[in-house]
Every structure is written in C-alpha cells, then in structure tokens.
Amino acid sequence: MSFDPGSGNIAVNDPLRDEIAAAVDAVRDTTPLAQSLTNFVTINFVANAQLAVGGTAAMHYSGEEAGALDSAGASKATYINMGTLLAEFRDEYPAAARDAVERRLPWVLDPVGAGAGKLRGDILRAFRETPPTIIRCNASEAIALAGIWGLDGADSKSRAGVEAHDEIEAAIPAAHALARFIGGVVSVSGAVDLVTDGERDFRLPGGSVWMTKITGAGCSLGGVTATYACVARPLVAALAAALHYNRAADAAERVAEGPGSFQTAFLDALWNTTADEIAQSPIYA
Amino acid sequence: MSFDPGSGNIAVNDPLRDEIAAAVDAVRDTTPLAQSLTNFVTINFVANAQLAVGGTAAMHYSGEEAGALDSAGASKATYINMGTLLAEFRDEYPAAARDAVERRLPWVLDPVGAGAGKLRGDILRAFRETPPTIIRCNASEAIALAGIWGLDGADSKSRAGVEAHDEIEAAIPAAHALARFIGGVVSVSGAVDLVTDGERDFRLPGGSVWMTKITGAGCSLGGVTATYACVARPLVAALAAALHYNRAADAAERVAEGPGSFQTAFLDALWNTTADEIAQSPIYA
Amino acid sequence: MSFDPGSGNIAVNDPLRDEIAAAVDAVRDTTPLAQSLTNFVTINFVANAQLAVGGTAAMHYSGEEAGALDSAGASKATYINMGTLLAEFRDEYPAAARDAVERRLPWVLDPVGAGAGKLRGDILRAFRETPPTIIRCNASEAIALAGIWGLDGADSKSRAGVEAHDEIEAAIPAAHALARFIGGVVSVSGAVDLVTDGERDFRLPGGSVWMTKITGAGCSLGGVTATYACVARPLVAALAAALHYNRAADAAERVAEGPGSFQTAFLDALWNTTADEIAQSPIYA
C-alpha cells in the first residue's frame, strides 16, 4: 500500500466510528432524499445505489427543480456530476449549486473529466463562487480542479481524468488545497482511498479491482456521499460512504464471476452490509 | 390491507380474466411496439421490461419521430414519462401526444413528479387538450395531476411525488376524476394497486416491497402498460400490466438477496410468468 | 442457416485467426479508450461492455470534447450511435466524425433507426462527407443508409429499422455498396452475422436469441467494435468484436433463466471468454 506505514488504524472506540455507524443507521431509518444532476451513463446506477444504502433518489437537470425540492424541505443534499454535459446544463448546474449554498444545504461535486472541454471548464469555474461541501473525485480530477480554481497542488502532473491513473499521493497537495478552499472535505478514490478535510488525512484500504471494471463506481459513490451528507457532517458523510462502498465491494468480490455478477452482488451488498462492519473498517489516520 | 373488506375477488371464470390472459398471449405472439418518450434514469429498464413481457421497444424524444412511427403503423401505442425533462421536451412531448390522439392510438402517461417545476407543469397542462388513454402513477401524482387539470380530488393533501407516500385511498377521488375526464383508465401503484375506469374500482394485492428499493418499477410498469395497450382495451391493458408486475415481483422476491438480484430475477420472471398465473391473480372489485 | 452452403469455414491456421486473437489480447493488455457519442437507452451497457472486453469508456455529446480526447491521444477511436437524438446533436455528431477523419482515427457508426426522422436523416447525410471506418447495423438499417447516401442496394425493401427484421441476405447489395463507399467494413448483425469489406464476405453463425430480448446488444457491439478498432485494422476489429459477442452469448445462454440473468451472464462471459475461443470460432468465407 502506498500510504505512510507510520500512520495507524484509529482506535476501535474512536468516537468517529460511532458517528459513522450512526450515519449508516440514520440513512436506513429516515430514507433521506439527496437530489442529483448526474450523467446519463450511470444515472441508473447512482439512483439504485442511493436506494440500496437506504436513501431516496430524485434525478433532474433543472436549477428551478433543485430550488423547489430544496425549499420544500424534500431534498436534504444535492449531488452534481459533470459527465455527459448538454448545453443547457451551463446555467442549470450552477443554479442548483447556488440554491444549495444559499439555503445552507450540503452539496457534493463529482468533477468527472475535469480539464476536458470548454463547457465543463466554464461550469467548474462557476462553482468556485458557490463551492461544494464535499468533492468526490479521482486523483487526476483533484489536480485538474485545483488548477481550474487557481489553487495550490495544480502543478502536479495532471491529465483529463476519466480513470484513476494518477497516484493518490501525487494528488495530496491538490486535495488539501481544495478542502481548505471549500472549507469542507475531499474524497479521492483509488486503490487506497483518501478522505481529507485539509488538516487530517484518512486512508481507507480495501475495496475491489472490479470497481474499475464496471462503469459508475465513482459516480454512484458521489451520489451515496450526498445521501450520507443528508444526515451527517461532511467528514463523517465522506468516510461512511467510502467505507460502505469498500465493504460492499469486498463482499461482492467474493461471489463475482465477472463484471456483470459483481455489479449485481455489489448492490445486494450495499443493502446487507451492517453499520458495524462499515464503522469498524480499517481507517488509517 | 387498506381496501374495503366487503369487496370480493372476482370469479375464477369472470370474462375479464379471459381478456387478461388473451392480452398476455397476444403480446408474446405479436411482439407489438409501444414507442416511449421517457426519463434518462430508467429508460434502459423500461425498454428491457417491455422486451421481457414480449413486446418491442423504441425510445426517442421527438414529436416528429412519434408521428413517423405512428403513421407507418410501426408503433401501436405511445408512452410518455415526465422524469428528467429537458427544455426541448416542452414542444416534443405534447406533439407526440397530439399525434397519438389524432390517429386514435392509445397513449399512456406517467406524470412523474407532478407538481414540481414550471416546465413539468406546462407540459402536463398541455396534455389536458390531448388526454392520455391510461394514466399510470402513484397516489400523490394522481392528486397533483387532478389539481393541474382543475378536477375534483385535488384538494386531498398533495405533495410533489417521486415516491408513493400518500395512501392509495386518499387518491381515489382524484383517480376517479382523472379517469372520467380522460374517458380512460387510471392505474395507481401502491402496496395494493388500484385500477379504475371511474366507475368500477379494481384492487390488486401482492407484489414486493423490493419494488420500492429499485429505481424504475413504476416507470417500467408505465411502459409495459403501453405495450399491453397495443393489444387490449385500456382497462384490460392496465390490469394485465399491473398483475404481470405483481406476479413477477412475487417470484423475484422469493429468490432475491438484495436489490441487485431482485432486479435481475424480476426481469427473468416477467419472461417466465404464465398467462394463467397473471389472469388468475386476486382481483378485488 | 441462410448462407451459401458452398462457402466453408476458414482454416484453423488462417492468418486472420491470429490477427483476431492478437486483437483480443491487445485490448486486454492495453485497455484502449474508444470514446462514444451514443443513445441514452443503452449508454450504460455500451460502457460496461467496453470495460468487460478489457477496454476503457468515455461518453459525451460534444464535438469539441471529441477533438480534445483525439488530440490528446487519449482516445484511439470514436463510436457514434444514432439513437435518441437531441437537437444539439445535429452539429456535435458531425463535428466528432470530422475530427476523427481529419486525424485519421477510425470511427464506427451505428445508424440506429436509419430512415426515421428528419434530424436523423440530416446527420446521416452529413456523415457522407466524413465516412466511418466501420458501420455496425442490422439489415434494414444497411438498406436505409445506402438509400440516404444514394448508393446501390437501397432498392431492397427497406423499413425504419430498430430491429433486425430484414434478412441479412437482402441487405448484401447495400452492405457491399456501403463498404466500398467508405473504403472500410460493414458488420450486419443477424441470426448469422455478416462482415464484409465489399470484396470478401464473412458469415459468423452462433450467438443467442436472447440477444434480441435485451436492449443494447447491437449498440454495445458497435461500442466494442470501436474498442477493437483501437488496436486492429477495420476487418479484424469487426470480426473480433462480432465473434467475441457470439461466444459470450453462447456461454450466457447456457446459464440464463431469462433476460435479466442473460445480461448479467453475458457481461461476465465477455470478461471470461478466451482469445482462443474467439479466434477459433466458425468463420465462413
């Protein structure tokens, strides 16, 4: 594993573990709605993953609908994913982000493909004015987004990111800069996931290589992170979502015979994994 | 169960059961095409469900294409689902509905999220001029749509509906008003489904709670209702589709280990459930 | 089978088989990216199929993004599928095709529904100026596209094609005319697939009728053909993709209990089928 062997697993009775377990239970008990503006490739998987962890899903492409769901108190968090953009998203996505920020509701950004294309760049630049609460991304996207926002860490070797090519460690300066800028949390997915609030780094080993052989593992983790943000503070939401994913992936890998059966087993495992299994995962800090 | 215990299961040899069985066989024998204009979240599941009951699927977002498929005799019914609207659907969806009505072809409306958003409201209001043959919805959507069209039953407590929160019974006045206004059938999904032509109410128990833990159960039922509307009168189409769904859900629940395996088993069961199993379902009237 | 019994299976040691096996290995070894502009119905299945054969997937709807991925060397081939068109695709799709041609990168066209709708006709007509390297279609679409481009073979009985109604044999003149016009390869899917470069015809028996009972078998074959076009010449790419599909379908059919489990097993089988199984398939020429 690529993380500092000097760091250690947090204690079994660390209060953070209680907060994580409480978040898992709260989602299952209250079925909160996190609304999503997300790409067409994996929109079905995002919705099914949110349902499988116990939440509720509503998808649309409208700033006005975002405001309606926010103001009605129906949606407790917003998820915006930057894949498969259409021209009209140029105004709609920033409007949805603005509405969340004005109402002090958490919102989660997945900057899919950051660095590729003018429309994507324009929308990501607009988000600088109404920054997300949590960023869920891969290493290359963290570096690219730091560059778009003019933050530190952008001078790492970056590339338009649709896959987790760069090592997590190379993205740490960018992740720190992003977390501090948004005053929230950055969750970088990789062989060992990194969750940071800019001060403290948490590394989460485990998960499955099958996650890179199905489409939507990262996108749906973003959606589930928004589901958890309905019931927990950003750091706990990001940790609970990433750990829930890793434990479900472990379970699915044990029975998968290929990427098709892995995806089916993964959704089953999101439903069946216990709060205790999630909260007692290895968490290196 | 929430329906009047005084109502009873219709007779085993009720002619309606023969009509339902004949519809199931006709779809499997003739693979009819019902075209769909439907949301991006569940569009794949709608198409796969239509294929799994024996029909054919063609999806698009164009009033002109709807007319082309209608005029060629290729499509025998149209399904319009109001999820994930884009700006251009403002004209395209009403045009597709108008084409169906002008050619006296049945069309099925799923008013997903009725009550939320101006664009959705505008399109639903436009449909008042070319009303659907069948409305497939949940309770809160029936109430909201009755309100948009200025019909009775809209004074029940309504809310923007993406889930079946309201009780079916509270939606009965709205369902009756809608059915009478369109001169067709309203199919309200819930723990016990309600199908009504405004005169006679049919209640269909069974199905599975898993249906609320996957995305697209309702959307795809709308698409399958359109498939059945290709070969049967509206009341029979709505009953056959809802009963086919309930029996397939029962079968899938018996083998499911979570929402992933439930969805797989449900598509298998749509294919394997017999016409007799569907037609001999409990039907309270 | 409908093909000339006088034609014979090519030799076990035909060099073409070595090229096919090498293509299968090259995709698995190098995980090449073929970018896609493809319909909303089956976009998830296209991406998952590309991943399951060993490739990488990136989906969008932008000529500018196509150029960015091409110029960066990230994408080695482009896939354009004509289902579920939106108005803005009128300019974006031809721009993506033009970029591929200008950079001498292969691109694969799936002319879904050729013959239906003015927008589709306009875009397909535009492609005549920057023709694809490979066309993957069904028989009726081959005939319709030959008509749109004013080529021979268009006088066969044609119909707007969303399903493989026409016999492959009726489409042979159109397939030959298309292959010669583009200077590439046409892959016509059916009970027995036909792959032709306009000079030599290859017929590929096998596969499964379940492929017609799930949505996206053809669309995803188009995407996988683009994946193979990243690493092999057009004829080998079209053959490798179609044979990979037929062998995976054979394997999935052996365990499927319906269309749901077939799709799961099919994705597993795409991953697990060996290069040798694919390359030693029956190939009649």
Side-chain angles (χ1 to χ4, degrees):
Chain A
M1 283 182 280
S2 61
F3 53 92
D4 177 1
S7 66
N9 193 359
I10 67 171
V12 168
N13 61 353
D14 189 300
L16 199 52
R17 297 196 188 273
D18 295 331
E19 282 195 89
I20 291 166
V24 175
D25 288 337
V27 165
R28 287 172 174 167
D29 290 346
T30 65
T31 61
L33 171 60
Q35 61 179 316
S36 298
L37 298 85
T38 190
N39 74 67
F40 302 118
V41 191
T42 61
I43 188 170
N44 184 273
F45 193 42
V46 173
N48 272 322
Q50 291 179 317
L51 292 168
V53 299
T56 305
M59 273 63 184
H60 60 78
Y61 296 100
S62 160
E64 186 221 349
E65 283 191 51
L69 288 168
D70 284 344
S71 64
S75 175
K76 304 294 190 195
T78 300
Y79 175 49
I80 301 181
N81 175 298
M82 298 294 292
T84 61
L85 301 175
L86 300 180
E88 69 195 75
F89 299 173
R90 178 185 298 275
D91 295 323
E92 301 296 339
Y93 280 22
R98 197 162 50 239
D99 195 86
V101 170
E102 286 174 0
R103 294 180 204 274
R104 300 179 184 280
L105 292 169
W107 80 273
V108 177
L109 171 64
D110 186 332
V112 175
K118 175 164 168 28
L119 174 57
R120 181 172 287 109
D122 289 347
I123 297 175
L124 287 175
R125 237 180 316 276
F127 288 154
R128 199 179 191 282
E129 307 308 312
T130 54
T133 319
I134 304 174
I135 298 166
R136 203 303 310 171
C137 59
N138 63 33
S140 61
E141 290 158 354
I143 295 166
L145 183 59
I148 290 168
W149 285 353
L151 307 178
D152 291 341
D155 50 355
S156 304
K157 187 172 166 298
S158 171
R159 19 187 300 180
V162 286
E163 293 296 328
H165 293 299
D166 297 342
E167 288 296 328
I168 296 285
E169 298 305 309
I172 286 187
H176 285 174
L178 288 167
R180 287 173 193 146
F181 176 72
I182 65 175
V185 171
V186 176
S187 175
V188 188
S189 303
V192 175
D193 301 324
L194 173 78
V195 172
T196 183
D197 60 5
E199 302 300 326
R200 200 172 173 199
D201 293 341
F202 299 87
R203 286 179 174 80
L204 316 176
S208 168
V209 294
W210 282 119
M211 295 297 267
T212 66
K213 298 302 174 190
I214 61 170
T215 190
C219 301
S220 62
L221 175 55
V224 165
T225 301
T227 299
Y228 275 114
C230 295
V231 302
R233 63 189 174 105
L235 180 63
V236 172
L239 287 169
L243 293 173
H244 197 152
Y245 257 52
N246 282 351
R247 293 299 75 72
D250 292 343
E253 185 176 280
R254 286 193 286 272
V255 299
E257 297 176 13
S261 52
F262 177 80
Q263 184 163 330
T264 300
F266 177 70
L267 285 171
D268 283 359
L270 284 179
W271 183 267
N272 293 313
T273 304
T274 67
D276 202 55
E277 288 169 334
I278 295 164
Q280 289 303 329
S281 296
I283 302 174
Y284 291 83
Chain B
M1 281 184 281
S2 61
F3 53 91
D4 177 2
S7 67
N9 193 357
I10 67 171
V12 168
N13 63 353
D14 189 299
L16 199 53
R17 296 196 188 274
D18 295 332
E19 281 194 89
I20 292 166
V24 175
D25 289 337
V27 165
R28 288 173 173 166
D29 289 347
T30 66
T31 62
L33 171 59
Q35 61 179 317
S36 297
L37 298 84
T38 189
N39 74 69
F40 302 117
V41 191
T42 61
I43 187 170
N44 184 272
F45 193 43
V46 173
N48 272 322
Q50 291 179 317
L51 291 167
V53 301
T56 305
M59 272 63 185
H60 60 79
Y61 296 100
S62 161
E64 187 221 347
E65 283 190 53
L69 288 168
D70 285 343
S71 65
S75 175
K76 303 294 190 195
T78 300
Y79 174 49
I80 300 181
N81 174 299
M82 297 295 292
T84 61
L85 300 176
L86 300 179
E88 68 195 76
F89 299 173
R90 179 185 297 275
D91 294 324
E92 301 296 338
Y93 281 22
R98 197 162 49 239
D99 196 86
V101 169
E102 285 174 1
R103 293 180 205 275
R104 300 179 183 280
L105 292 169
W107 80 273
V108 177
L109 171 65
D110 186 333
V112 176
K118 174 162 169 29
L119 175 57
R120 182 171 286 109
D122 289 347
I123 297 174
L124 287 174
R125 235 179 318 277
F127 288 154
R128 198 180 191 282
E129 307 308 311
T130 54
T133 318
I134 304 174
I135 298 167
R136 203 301 311 170
C137 58
N138 63 34
S140 61
E141 290 158 355
I143 295 168
L145 184 59
I148 290 168
W149 285 352
L151 308 178
D152 291 341
D155 51 353
S156 306
K157 187 172 167 297
S158 170
R159 21 185 300 180
V162 287
E163 293 296 328
H165 292 298
D166 297 342
E167 288 295 329
I168 296 285
E169 299 305 308
I172 287 186
H176 285 173
L178 288 167
R180 287 173 194 146
F181 176 74
I182 66 175
V185 171
V186 176
S187 174
V188 188
S189 302
V192 175
D193 301 325
L194 172 79
V195 172
T196 183
D197 60 5
E199 302 298 326
R200 199 172 174 197
D201 293 341
F202 299 87
R203 286 180 174 80
L204 316 176
S208 168
V209 293
W210 282 119
M211 295 297 267
T212 65
K213 299 302 175 189
I214 61 170
T215 190
C219 301
S220 63
L221 174 56
V224 165
T225 301
T227 299
Y228 276 114
C230 296
V231 303
R233 62 188 174 105
L235 179 63
V236 172
L239 287 170
L243 293 173
H244 197 153
Y245 258 51
N246 283 350
R247 294 297 76 71
D250 292 342
E253 185 175 280
R254 286 192 286 273
V255 299
E257 297 176 13
S261 52
F262 177 80
Q263 185 163 330
T264 301
F266 177 70
L267 285 172
D268 283 359
L270 285 179
W271 183 267
N272 292 313
T273 303
T274 67
D276 203 53
E277 290 169 333
I278 295 164
Q280 290 303 328
S281 295
I283 302 174
Y284 290 83
Chain C
M1 284 183 278
S2 62
F3 53 91
D4 177 2
S7 67
N9 193 357
I10 66 170
V12 168
N13 63 353
D14 189 299
L16 198 54
R17 297 195 188 272
D18 295 331
E19 281 195 272
I20 291 166
V24 175
D25 289 337
V27 165
R28 287 173 174 166
D29 290 347
T30 66
T31 61
L33 170 60
Q35 62 180 315
S36 297
L37 298 84
T38 190
N39 73 68
F40 303 117
V41 191
T42 61
I43 187 170
N44 183 272
F45 193 43
V46 173
N48 272 322
Q50 290 179 317
L51 291 168
V53 300
T56 305
M59 272 61 185
H60 60 78
Y61 296 100
S62 159
E64 187 221 350
E65 282 191 53
L69 288 168
D70 285 345
S71 65
S75 175
K76 303 294 190 196
T78 300
Y79 174 50
I80 301 180
N81 174 300
M82 297 295 292
T84 61
L85 300 176
L86 300 179
E88 68 195 76
F89 299 173
R90 178 185 298 276
D91 294 325
E92 301 296 339
Y93 281 22
R98 196 162 50 240
D99 195 86
V101 170
E102 285 174 1
R103 294 180 204 276
R104 301 181 183 281
L105 292 169
W107 80 273
V108 177
L109 171 65
D110 186 333
V112 175
K118 172 162 170 30
L119 175 56
R120 181 171 287 109
D122 289 348
I123 297 174
L124 287 174
R125 235 178 320 275
F127 288 154
R128 197 179 192 282
E129 306 309 311
T130 55
T133 319
I134 303 174
I135 298 167
R136 203 302 310 169
C137 58
N138 63 33
S140 61
E141 291 159 353
I143 295 167
L145 183 59
I148 290 168
W149 286 351
L151 307 178
D152 291 342
D155 50 352
S156 305
K157 185 173 168 297
S158 171
R159 23 186 298 179
V162 285
E163 294 294 329
H165 292 299
D166 297 341
E167 288 296 329
I168 296 286
E169 299 305 308
I172 286 186
H176 284 173
L178 288 166
R180 287 172 193 146
F181 177 73
I182 66 175
V185 171
V186 175
S187 174
V188 188
S189 302
V192 175
D193 301 324
L194 172 79
V195 171
T196 182
D197 60 5
E199 302 299 325
R200 200 173 173 197
D201 293 341
F202 299 87
R203 287 180 173 80
L204 317 176
S208 167
V209 292
W210 282 119
M211 295 297 266
T212 65
K213 299 302 175 188
I214 62 170
T215 188
C219 301
S220 63
L221 175 55
V224 165
T225 301
T227 299
Y228 275 112
C230 296
V231 302
R233 63 187 173 105
L235 179 64
V236 172
L239 287 170
L243 293 172
H244 197 153
Y245 257 53
N246 283 350
R247 294 298 75 71
D250 292 344
E253 184 175 281
R254 286 192 287 272
V255 299
E257 298 176 13
S261 52
F262 177 81
Q263 185 162 330
T264 301
F266 177 71
L267 285 171
D268 282 358
L270 284 179
W271 183 265
N272 292 313
T273 304
T274 67
D276 202 55
E277 289 169 334
I278 295 163
Q280 289 303 327
S281 295
I283 302 173
Y284 290 83

